Amino acid sequence: KMEADRVEWKFEPTSLGEVLEETVAVLAPLASVRRIKVEINVPEGLPPVRGDRDRLIQVLTNLVANAISYSPEDTRVEVGAALRLNVDGRHVVEVRVKDSGPGIPPGELDQIFDMFQRGSTSRRREGAGLGLHIAREIIEKHGGRIWVESEVGQGSVFGFTVPQSERLDTRAASILRAIK
Protein backbone atom coordinates (compact mmCIF):
# COMPACT_ATOMS: atom_id res chain seq x y z
CA LYS A 1 0.00 0.00 0.00
CA MET A 2 2.77 2.42 0.86
CA GLU A 3 4.61 1.84 -2.40
CA ALA A 4 1.39 2.45 -4.33
CA ASP A 5 0.68 5.58 -2.23
CA ARG A 6 -2.61 4.07 -1.02
CA VAL A 7 -1.98 4.63 2.69
CA GLU A 8 -4.15 7.19 4.45
CA TRP A 9 -2.03 9.54 6.53
CA LYS A 10 -3.30 11.51 9.49
CA PHE A 11 -0.78 14.26 10.24
CA GLU A 12 -1.42 16.14 13.46
CA PRO A 13 0.57 17.44 16.43
CA THR A 14 1.95 14.33 18.14
CA SER A 15 4.00 13.91 21.29
CA LEU A 16 6.94 11.63 20.52
CA GLY A 17 7.58 11.33 24.26
CA GLU A 18 4.13 9.80 24.74
CA VAL A 19 4.59 7.60 21.68
CA LEU A 20 7.94 6.36 23.06
CA GLU A 21 6.49 5.55 26.47
CA GLU A 22 3.47 3.79 24.95
CA THR A 23 5.68 1.73 22.63
CA VAL A 24 8.05 0.70 25.43
CA ALA A 25 5.09 -0.26 27.65
CA VAL A 26 3.68 -2.51 24.91
CA LEU A 27 7.10 -4.15 24.42
CA ALA A 28 7.74 -4.58 28.18
CA PRO A 29 6.83 -8.31 28.13
CA LEU A 30 9.41 -8.99 25.37
CA ALA A 31 12.05 -7.04 27.30
CA SER A 32 11.16 -8.84 30.53
CA VAL A 33 11.47 -12.30 28.99
CA ARG A 34 14.96 -11.39 27.74
CA ARG A 35 15.83 -9.54 31.00
CA ILE A 36 16.52 -6.38 29.01
CA LYS A 37 16.15 -3.05 30.78
CA VAL A 38 14.68 -0.38 28.50
CA GLU A 39 15.64 3.14 29.59
CA ILE A 40 13.69 6.14 28.27
CA ASN A 41 15.20 9.63 28.22
CA VAL A 42 12.86 12.39 27.04
CA PRO A 43 13.26 15.98 28.26
CA GLU A 44 10.26 17.66 29.85
CA GLY A 45 8.54 20.08 27.51
CA LEU A 46 9.62 18.35 24.30
CA PRO A 47 7.49 20.00 21.59
CA PRO A 48 5.14 17.95 19.42
CA VAL A 49 5.98 16.85 15.92
CA ARG A 50 3.73 16.94 12.88
CA GLY A 51 3.06 13.27 12.49
CA ASP A 52 0.80 10.31 11.99
CA ARG A 53 0.75 8.82 15.49
CA ASP A 54 -0.05 5.27 14.36
CA ARG A 55 2.74 5.25 11.77
CA LEU A 56 5.26 6.66 14.27
CA ILE A 57 4.26 3.91 16.72
CA GLN A 58 4.89 1.42 13.90
CA VAL A 59 8.42 2.80 13.36
CA LEU A 60 9.25 2.84 17.06
CA THR A 61 7.82 -0.62 17.64
CA ASN A 62 10.08 -1.95 14.90
CA LEU A 63 13.21 -0.18 16.18
CA VAL A 64 12.69 -0.94 19.88
CA ALA A 65 11.64 -4.57 19.26
CA ASN A 66 14.73 -5.08 17.09
CA ALA A 67 16.94 -3.52 19.77
CA ILE A 68 15.48 -5.82 22.43
CA SER A 69 15.73 -8.88 20.20
CA TYR A 70 19.32 -8.29 19.11
CA SER A 71 20.70 -7.30 22.53
CA PRO A 72 22.13 -10.05 24.73
CA GLU A 73 20.07 -11.00 27.77
CA ASP A 74 20.69 -9.02 30.96
CA THR A 75 21.69 -5.84 29.10
CA ARG A 76 19.90 -2.62 28.32
CA VAL A 77 18.37 -0.68 25.47
CA GLU A 78 18.36 3.12 25.54
CA VAL A 79 15.54 5.07 23.91
CA GLY A 80 15.62 8.85 23.83
CA ALA A 81 14.31 11.93 22.12
CA ALA A 82 15.65 15.48 21.97
CA LEU A 83 14.99 18.75 20.24
CA ARG A 84 17.57 19.57 17.58
CA LEU A 85 18.24 22.28 15.05
CA ASN A 86 18.76 20.70 11.63
CA VAL A 87 21.53 21.84 9.30
CA ASP A 88 18.87 23.60 7.21
CA GLY A 89 17.70 25.58 10.25
CA ARG A 90 14.51 23.58 10.88
CA HIS A 91 13.64 22.40 14.36
CA VAL A 92 13.26 18.63 14.55
CA VAL A 93 12.78 16.04 17.23
CA GLU A 94 15.48 13.40 17.04
CA VAL A 95 14.84 9.90 18.35
CA ARG A 96 17.62 7.41 19.02
CA VAL A 97 17.36 3.72 19.92
CA LYS A 98 20.62 2.19 21.15
CA ASP A 99 21.10 -1.54 21.59
CA SER A 100 23.85 -3.78 22.96
CA GLY A 101 23.70 -6.19 20.05
CA PRO A 102 26.38 -7.61 17.78
CA GLY A 103 26.54 -4.53 15.57
CA ILE A 104 26.29 -4.36 11.81
CA PRO A 105 29.29 -4.90 9.53
CA PRO A 106 30.28 -1.74 7.59
CA GLY A 107 29.50 -3.38 4.24
CA GLU A 108 25.86 -3.92 5.25
CA LEU A 109 25.10 -0.44 6.58
CA ASP A 110 24.22 1.01 3.16
CA GLN A 111 21.62 -1.69 2.49
CA ILE A 112 20.07 -2.06 5.96
CA PHE A 113 16.96 -0.04 5.00
CA ASP A 114 16.48 -1.80 1.66
CA MET A 115 13.56 -4.14 1.11
CA PHE A 116 14.09 -7.77 2.21
CA GLN A 117 17.39 -7.05 3.96
CA ARG A 118 18.41 -8.86 7.12
CA GLY A 119 21.88 -8.50 8.50
CA SER A 120 24.39 -11.34 8.56
CA THR A 121 24.74 -10.97 12.35
CA SER A 122 21.01 -11.56 12.79
CA ARG A 123 20.09 -14.20 15.33
CA ARG A 124 16.43 -13.79 14.52
CA ARG A 125 15.22 -15.81 11.59
CA GLU A 126 11.58 -14.70 11.47
CA GLY A 127 10.41 -11.75 9.44
CA ALA A 128 10.71 -10.82 5.80
CA GLY A 129 13.24 -8.03 6.15
CA LEU A 130 10.64 -5.32 5.54
CA GLY A 131 10.54 -3.55 8.92
CA LEU A 132 13.40 -1.11 8.42
CA HIS A 133 12.39 -0.45 4.83
CA ILE A 134 8.87 0.46 5.94
CA ALA A 135 10.29 2.57 8.79
CA ARG A 136 12.34 4.53 6.26
CA GLU A 137 9.30 5.08 4.03
CA ILE A 138 7.26 6.35 7.00
CA ILE A 139 9.95 8.71 8.27
CA GLU A 140 10.62 10.11 4.80
CA LYS A 141 6.86 10.70 4.34
CA HIS A 142 7.05 12.76 7.55
CA GLY A 143 9.81 14.92 6.04
CA GLY A 144 12.44 13.40 8.28
CA ARG A 145 15.39 11.11 7.83
CA ILE A 146 16.44 7.79 9.36
CA TRP A 147 19.93 6.36 9.81
CA VAL A 148 22.01 3.78 11.61
CA GLU A 149 25.38 4.01 13.34
CA SER A 150 27.02 0.73 14.20
CA GLU A 151 30.26 -1.02 14.97
CA VAL A 152 30.64 -4.79 15.07
CA GLY A 153 30.80 -5.94 18.68
CA GLN A 154 29.65 -2.55 20.00
CA GLY A 155 25.93 -2.50 19.19
CA SER A 156 23.93 -0.14 17.01
CA VAL A 157 22.10 3.15 17.24
CA PHE A 158 19.10 3.69 15.00
CA GLY A 159 18.00 7.29 14.79
CA PHE A 160 15.45 9.37 13.01
CA THR A 161 14.18 12.93 12.90
CA VAL A 162 10.70 14.33 12.46
CA PRO A 163 10.04 18.06 11.96
CA GLN A 164 8.56 19.91 14.90
CA SER A 165 4.83 20.57 14.63
CA GLU A 166 4.77 24.33 15.05
CA ARG A 167 6.98 27.27 15.93
CA LEU A 168 8.95 26.87 19.11
CA ASP A 169 7.19 28.02 22.22
CA THR A 170 9.14 29.60 25.08
CA ARG A 171 9.74 26.33 26.96
CA ALA A 172 10.91 24.50 23.84
CA ALA A 173 13.26 27.37 22.97
CA SER A 174 14.84 27.11 26.43
CA ILE A 175 15.32 23.36 25.95
CA LEU A 176 17.07 24.00 22.63
CA ARG A 177 19.38 26.58 24.23
CA ALA A 178 20.17 24.15 27.06
CA ILE A 179 21.30 21.37 24.72
CA LYS A 180 23.53 23.52 22.52
Side-chain angles (χ1 to χ4, degrees):
K1 284 184 173 182
M2 210 169 297
E3 294 288 327
D5 202 26
R6 293 190 348 226
V7 172
E8 288 188 35
W9 297 88
K10 186 177 179 183
F11 290 101
E12 59 191 10
T14 303
S15 167
L16 273 178
E18 290 175 8
V19 169
L20 281 170
E21 289 188 21
E22 183 179 322
T23 301
V24 169
V26 168
L27 294 172
L30 175 63
S32 178
V33 165
R34 304 214 56 248
R35 297 185 309 271
I36 304 286
K37 181 176 177 163
V38 181
E39 298 174 357
I40 301 174
N41 182 13
V42 177
E44 190 174 317
L46 188 69
V49 298
R50 181 184 168 275
D52 183 315
R53 181 181 177 80
D54 292 340
R55 303 287 181 239
L56 292 171
I57 288 172
Q58 185 178 354
V59 170
L60 284 163
T61 298
N62 180 273
L63 297 181
V64 175
N66 282 351
I68 291 168
S69 296
Y70 290 121
S71 292
E73 291 186 353
D74 297 311
T75 59
R76 71 178 186 197
V77 168
E78 298 171 31
V79 182
L83 185 61
R84 300 278 187 246
L85 188 60
N86 240 358
V87 293
D88 64 2
R90 292 185 313 152
H91 295 104
V92 296
V93 174
E94 179 182 283
V95 174
R96 295 170 70 82
V97 178
K98 181 179 181 190
D99 67 43
S100 307
I104 302 165
E108 295 178 16
L109 289 173
D110 289 343
Q111 297 102 23
I112 199 76
F113 294 102
D114 291 348
M115 203 178 296
F116 306 119
Q117 289 299 311
R118 293 193 344 201
S120 63
T121 57
S122 174
R123 290 187 302 233
R124 296 179 347 149
R125 296 296 175 219
E126 71 274 2
L130 290 173
L132 292 175
H133 175 74
I134 291 169
R136 181 181 67 191
E137 296 290 321
I138 291 170
I139 295 303
E140 288 177 354
K141 184 72 170 183
H142 280 79
R145 68 179 195 90
I146 190 168
W147 67 92
V148 61
E149 302 162 0
S150 189
E151 187 176 328
V152 174
Q154 301 299 314
S156 302
V157 177
F158 282 83
F160 67 86
T161 59
V162 178
Q164 181 197 331
S165 179
E166 298 169 11
R167 295 181 53 131
L168 284 175
D169 62 23
T170 307
R171 284 188 339 185
S174 67
I175 292 170
L176 186 59
R177 282 192 296 276
I179 62 174
K180 283 186 179 180

